[in-house]
Amino acid sequence: FMFGGYDGDALGDSHFFDAEALKWTRAKSSSNKQGPQPRCRAGVVRLSQKQILCFGGYGSDSAKQSQIPLKDAWIFTTDDM
């Protein structure tokens, strides 16, 4: 699982890697809840078979053209992302 990234601004994309097919697939949320702020250089840890913790990283401040440290944590549930 990978969340975020950077292409000049922090990204809010989420992808899963299928090691058998050697293929990345974009994750789609079945929830109407707002997800994490786009970020780069975040930590990601598998908590259980169905839960993934994403924490910290840096968000973009386009007005200042800089990165802002983030101090939050999110749990993704793989049933509904």
Side-chain angles (χ1 to χ4, degrees), residues 9-79:
D9 281 321
L11 303 174
D13 299 350
S14 52
H15 294 80
F16 284 101
F17 184 70
D18 181 335
E20 290 182 19
L22 300 176
K23 179 180 170 184
W24 285 96
T25 303
R26 186 170 185 151
K28 297 177 184 170
S29 176
S30 63
S31 171
N32 291 334
K33 297 176 186 174
Q34 183 178 356
Q37 175 179 343
R39 63 194 61 219
C40 59
R41 300 184 347 216
V44 177
V45 177
R46 180 178 163 191
L47 297 176
S48 70
Q49 191 73 5
K50 297 188 178 216
Q51 290 187 325
I52 300 166
L53 174 67
C54 176
F55 58 94
Y58 291 84
S60 295
D61 183 344
S62 298
K64 295 181 181 177
Q65 296 182 341
S66 64
Q67 294 182 348
I68 305 165
L70 301 174
K71 301 174 186 175
D72 58 351
W74 292 79
I75 294 178
F76 292 89
T77 303
T78 58
D79 288 339

